[in-house]
Amino acid sequence: MPVLEERLQKQRSRLAEAGAATALASGNTDLALLMLQDGRSTTDTRNLIYGGQGTGAFDLLGSISGDKGVGLIGTPEGRTLYLVTSTIRSSGDGEQPTAWDTLRSDDLGKTWTYDADVTLGFPQQHTVFLTQDRAIALERHEAGHRLLVSSDGARSWSATLLDDQVWPDAQSYDRAFYEKTAKAGGASGEDQLAYDWSLYPLDEKRAVGWSWRTRISLTASQKNEVLETRRFEVEFQDGASPAFRITPAQPPAPPQSADVQVTRDQPVFETSGSAVYELDKAERTWHRRSDAPAVRGNPSWIGDAWFGRKAWVIKTYADHLLSFNEYTKTYFYTRDQGKTWQPFQIPQDVETGLLGLDQSGDALLSLGERDGKTVIRRYPLD
């Protein structure tokens, strides 16, 4: 859309001018000139949106300017898709707060229209639609973590401070913790407390999440320690505030991947260290399904993972087993949910453009170039 391209170019120019001013203040005139030239450049970085029906073929559904990436969020069954761009919609555009320009499709990406009413994207985290109109998300706020809820298709959001619901004792606990560490002195006197969060959809009206309180050690020889994990279940009610149920003293929960878009009706997997976990939505518990295999007798940990209906793929790392100073990287796949793992190799160009598993779970997808055109390639696991 020309209006979004123009807005993106203006933002590039403003950032470049601010950077150039800083460089000039530091006496670096050459750097300032380069930054101004870069900001005025008309080079166009494109974000491509592809779609497929599980047949192995993909259609180009859209192409939009932006050098910071885009986000794609869908309602259940893909009835509506929202493409969150990297251009900022200023607070002067209508009555909406500052947010990201967003495009909308109601026909599985065949056509897109600009939606000036929705507010999606950062600082929202783990945004998911429970229904066509009800959406939830986490947000890190100056007052603490907040649960955001929308009942009108992400047009307006209400917020609940999760710290008050899940950790009502946090203020007194934190004060006692820092008093104790200050008296102890030494390296432990600098330890800090941190609270982390996760959020997953269960069905049209319910979600579940975990929060864990961690002792952060600033001493390299000391590991961080999870002090307590609490589970919070949320039920959403039309015309009323969310209802919470808090369960303290829970087993440790895996951290939520920031890069994976969860959906209401699909299984949920997470990894932590060398372990693969699956969320049991009925029991609201995590089950350890598998562990990464050893590499030449050495333990490995999972750096990335993709989960499909027929196969799982993990990318693992192990301590320096080769002569050069890099961790040993190995890809494995399994067709029996982690009971047995098979190592495999992929070409460097496939790894560079790796997107993940295809819908069938029989092959990896990788972005590449052929005859001057951008293509998506299938790389069979077998």
Side-chain angles (χ1 to χ4, degrees):
M1 286 189 174
V3 63
L4 297 188
E5 294 180 7
E6 180 182 355
R7 189 175 297 171
L8 178 62
Q9 185 59 39
K10 288 181 179 178
Q11 290 176 19
R12 284 200 195 107
S13 298
R14 285 197 298 268
L15 289 173
E17 289 167 3
T22 302
L24 282 173
S26 303
N28 197 330
T29 55
D30 291 339
L31 177 60
L33 180 60
L34 286 173
M35 295 181 77
L36 286 173
Q37 291 174 340
D38 180 66
R40 292 168 183 165
S41 171
T42 57
T43 301
D44 191 14
T45 301
R46 309 296 296 181
N47 295 279
L48 307 179
I49 303 94
Y50 287 89
Q53 302 295 327
T55 62
F58 292 87
D59 296 318
L60 180 62
L61 302 180
S63 170
I64 188 169
S65 294
D67 52 10
K68 297 184 183 298
V70 296
L72 191 64
I73 302 173
T75 62
E77 302 177 359
R79 288 177 56 191
T80 301
L81 299 175
Y82 294 100
L83 183 66
V84 185
T85 75
S86 59
T87 57
I88 297 175
R89 180 185 69 213
S90 69
S91 56
D93 293 338
E95 298 180 356
Q96 283 283 28
T98 299
W100 303 100
D101 285 318
T102 301
L103 304 179
R104 171 184 178 135
S105 174
D106 295 304
D107 55 9
L108 296 178
K110 294 183 177 65
T111 58
W112 297 89
T113 58
Y114 181 71
D115 194 330
D117 297 324
V118 300
T119 300
L120 291 168
F122 183 83
Q124 296 175 8
Q125 300 173 315
H126 311 305
T127 305
V128 59
F129 280 82
L130 303 184
T131 67
Q132 184 71 13
D133 295 320
R134 178 178 290 129
I136 59 174
L138 290 179
E139 180 190 50
R140 186 187 298 272
H141 190 263
E142 58 183 12
H145 267 80
R146 305 197 303 181
L147 173 68
L148 304 181
V149 182
S150 173
S151 300
D152 57 5
R155 286 167 175 76
S156 61
W157 297 82
S158 60
T160 301
L161 189 60
L162 282 172
D163 303 62
D164 292 345
Q165 299 288 336
V166 182
W167 300 101
D169 59 333
Q171 188 172 3
S172 59
Y173 183 97
D174 294 1
R175 182 171 57 251
F177 173 87
Y178 289 117
E179 288 175 354
K180 182 178 179 180
T181 55
K183 290 179 180 178
S188 62
E190 297 182 355
D191 287 358
Q192 303 290 317
L193 285 175
Y195 294 83
D196 294 293
W197 301 82
S198 62
L199 180 68
Y200 301 93
L202 292 177
D203 54 34
E204 295 181 354
K205 294 184 177 182
R206 295 176 300 165
V208 64
W210 282 261
S211 181
W212 50 100
R213 178 160 49 199
T214 305
R215 180 174 185 153
I216 306 295
S217 175
L218 302 183
T219 305
S221 60
Q222 297 292 325
K223 291 184 178 181
N224 297 337
E225 178 188 3
V226 176
L227 302 175
E228 184 185 356
T229 300
R230 297 182 183 180
R231 183 182 68 212
F232 60 96
E233 300 170 52
V234 192
E235 184 170 353
F236 304 99
Q237 311 164 82
D238 294 333
S241 300
F244 285 84
R245 179 184 177 186
I246 312 302
T247 308
Q250 291 293 289
Q256 186 167 8
S257 172
D259 302 323
V260 177
Q261 178 70 40
V262 296
T263 58
R264 188 192 68 189
D265 299 321
Q266 291 183 343
V268 176
F269 297 92
E270 297 288 2
T271 66
S272 180
S274 63
V276 175
Y277 294 89
E278 183 178 6
L279 174 60
D280 186 322
K281 294 185 178 182
E283 298 180 3
R284 279 71 150 170
T285 57
W286 290 99
H287 295 295
R288 189 165 182 160
R289 293 303 190 199
S290 183
D291 287 272
V295 178
R296 299 183 186 178
N298 290 270
S300 65
W301 64 93
I302 300 172
D304 212 339
W306 300 270
F307 301 96
R309 291 177 299 175
K310 297 182 180 180
W312 301 348
V313 173
I314 57 175
K315 178 173 66 174
T316 69
Y317 294 91
D319 276 327
H320 317 283
L321 303 180
L322 303 176
S323 57
F324 45 86
N325 190 29
E326 290 185 6
Y327 292 114
T328 299
K329 178 174 59 179
T330 310
Y331 285 89
F332 294 91
Y333 76 88
T334 176
R335 293 191 182 278
D336 55 13
Q337 297 191 327
K339 295 181 177 65
T340 58
W341 293 95
Q342 300 295 326
F344 69 101
Q345 294 181 334
I346 58 177
Q348 181 61 47
D349 63 329
V350 174
E351 182 179 19
T352 300
L354 189 57
L355 301 172
L357 279 169
D358 71 354
Q359 190 173 357
S360 70
D362 289 323
L364 292 172
L365 300 177
S366 177
L367 198 64
E369 186 175 322
R370 181 182 302 153
D371 300 328
K373 296 182 179 180
T374 302
V375 296
I376 293 180
R377 299 169 295 185
R378 293 182 80 250
Y379 187 82
L381 295 176
D382 297 323

